Amino acid sequence: MLMTPGPTAVPAPVRDAMSRELINPDVDPEFHRIYDRLTDRLATVYGAGQTGANGAPDRDVVVPGGEGILGLEAAIASLVEPGTEVLCLSNGLYGDGFADFVADYGGEATLVSTDYDDPLPLAELESILDDDHEFEVATMVHCETPTGTLNDLGPALDLLEEADGEILTVVDAVSSLGGVPVPTDRVDVCLGASQKCFSAPPGLTTAAISDRAWAAMDERDPHSLYTNFLPWRDTDEGFPYTHLTTEVVALDAALGLWLDEGLDAVRERHRTAAARCRERGAELGLEPYPDPERSSPTVTAFEVPGRAEELQTRLREDHDVLLATGLAYLADDVLRVGHMGHNARVERVDEAMDALEEVL
């Protein structure tokens, strides 16, 4: 049983959709119809379907072919050029990683970071915004999957807006979108992926992009095709490259299930599964990482100092249950249960925790 925080288990209706006859995305109009339906469905999930003063949607949703990390790099490649000042707010591995992407594309990254078990460093953010900087872009992560941390982005977005309403915001919502409300309306580039809360196979990036972010991309004229959102803005005349047909069909089917269930029901299912996982963990003497109040409804990271790889191996070999260890310096100290998407069900959590109880 796959209970990792992405890729997640793919339900049967999605697998069935993937098994249908292949569609040629370059010449078959049916594929364009499916892609347009997919972006409409994603707009509902993002909350990007509301209209602005001109009557047009306030965010465009695009779905490039490429695993979720493509979105993080493409956001930087599309908005950053040599000399661009970028503020990277971080309390985790992926937040830190944004600064690396900025450096790769010649930007000047200012990393405002803290320990991985702390909240976002708002005091440090406020202080750096008071200094003499000309930040054009700010990055942050909604759910830090390696530690199971769900960040409250509201206060950080408030500070950025108060300091300079022109700073473009980029948010990694890969592990929260679909299971947790995301403040898309306050974010210029909001990133997601197929293999997390939607329970489709890995292979697609999703992004909700504001008009002012598009304008900034037009000014920068990125020197890349693959790590570039601009070619996806208008696909009426064709896609930038041959799209990942089966993955698009799968994500469309997965979102159909998601919307049939309903936004409120899906989120409540995630909350219930998370609460059950932590209740079972407490019974086993396991502490969540980080503080329970900041733990995500989509993934629970338990502290198991020095035992994560051993427990993962025994769970896989003895019980056919696959959990994830931590990453980087937490690789052997954290064991993660992914209760997101199709796996956000109490019975699946109980099966995984029963197995964990046996190997502890």
Side-chain angles (χ1 to χ4, degrees):
M1 181 174 68
L2 182 64
M3 287 292 287
T4 56
T8 53
V10 177
V14 178
R15 299 197 304 271
D16 290 344
M18 295 172 65
S19 70
R20 295 171 194 156
E21 185 176 359
L22 185 69
I23 303 172
N24 187 313
D26 298 318
V27 299
D28 192 335
E30 174 67 7
F31 182 80
H32 281 266
R33 188 186 67 80
I34 294 171
Y35 179 83
D36 290 344
R37 183 176 64 196
L38 169 60
T39 56
D40 287 344
R41 286 173 164 175
L42 277 167
T44 299
V45 176
Y46 270 111
Q50 299 90 346
T51 56
N54 62 356
D58 62 357
R59 297 291 186 277
D60 291 323
V61 175
V62 297
V63 186
E67 191 272 336
I69 202 71
L70 169 68
L72 278 64
E73 181 170 356
I76 300 305
S78 300
L79 291 172
V80 171
E81 58 189 358
T84 303
E85 289 197 46
V86 182
L87 189 156
C88 301
L89 185 64
S90 174
N91 61 347
L93 185 67
Y94 287 103
D96 291 350
F98 268 122
D100 295 331
F101 282 134
V102 171
D104 289 343
Y105 286 90
E108 298 178 7
T110 297
L111 180 62
V112 181
S113 62
T114 188
D115 292 339
Y116 287 5
D117 58 350
D118 285 339
L120 289 173
L122 297 177
E124 292 83 349
L125 172 63
E126 186 171 19
S127 177
I128 201 77
L129 288 171
D130 287 338
D131 292 341
D132 187 20
H133 287 280
E134 295 183 359
F135 294 117
E136 297 180 56
V137 179
T139 67
M140 63 197 78
V141 176
H142 193 209
C143 176
E144 276 284 0
T145 327
T147 58
T149 301
L150 186 71
N151 288 315
D152 180 4
L153 302 184
L157 293 170
D158 289 341
L159 289 171
L160 289 166
E161 290 168 4
E162 291 165 7
D164 183 352
E166 299 303 311
I167 297 175
L168 295 167
T169 51
V170 175
V171 168
D172 168 0
V174 168
S175 296
S176 55
L177 182 68
V180 181
V182 180
T184 310
D185 61 322
R186 303 185 65 188
V187 175
D188 290 293
V189 181
C190 190
L191 303 164
S194 55
Q195 78 272 23
K196 301 285 187 174
C197 295
F198 300 132
S199 286
L204 297 176
T205 282
T206 73
I209 302 176
S210 71
D211 286 344
R212 66 179 196 155
W214 285 126
M217 293 176 197
D218 277 327
E219 290 177 2
R220 284 157 176 74
D221 189 22
H223 299 292
S224 168
L225 172 65
Y226 199 71
T227 55
N228 183 358
F229 281 130
L230 272 176
W232 293 91
R233 187 176 190 180
D234 184 359
T235 57
D236 287 344
E237 300 302 319
F239 298 97
Y241 46 82
T242 300
H243 215 324
L244 282 65
T245 311
T246 303
E247 282 75 9
V248 168
V249 169
L251 182 55
D252 178 61
L255 283 166
L257 297 176
W258 194 98
L259 292 170
D260 285 345
E261 185 175 356
L263 181 149
D264 292 337
V266 169
R267 291 175 178 169
E268 180 59 30
R269 180 161 56 75
H270 280 77
R271 286 191 292 267
T272 301
R276 180 60 173 169
C277 185
R278 288 156 202 166
E279 176 188 355
R280 291 292 307 273
E283 292 171 356
L284 300 177
L286 297 175
E287 295 289 336
Y289 183 113
D291 184 282
E293 293 185 359
R294 291 186 293 106
S295 292
S296 176
T298 60
V299 52
T300 295
F302 288 117
E303 294 188 66
V304 291
R307 297 194 64 193
E309 293 181 6
E310 167 221 339
L311 293 172
Q312 182 191 50
T313 298
R314 292 179 59 195
L315 283 164
R316 183 182 68 248
E317 293 180 352
D318 298 346
H319 297 275
D320 196 27
V321 172
L322 187 60
L323 303 186
T325 64
L327 299 178
Y329 73 89
L330 293 171
D332 201 29
D333 296 327
V334 164
L335 190 68
R336 296 179 292 151
V337 183
H339 37 72
M340 59 173 64
H342 181 64
N343 288 340
R345 288 177 165 79
V346 168
E347 60 272 19
R348 293 181 70 84
V349 168
D350 276 337
E351 185 175 346
M353 296 305 289
D354 286 346
L356 182 57
E357 182 175 12
E358 289 288 330
V359 301
L360 281 171

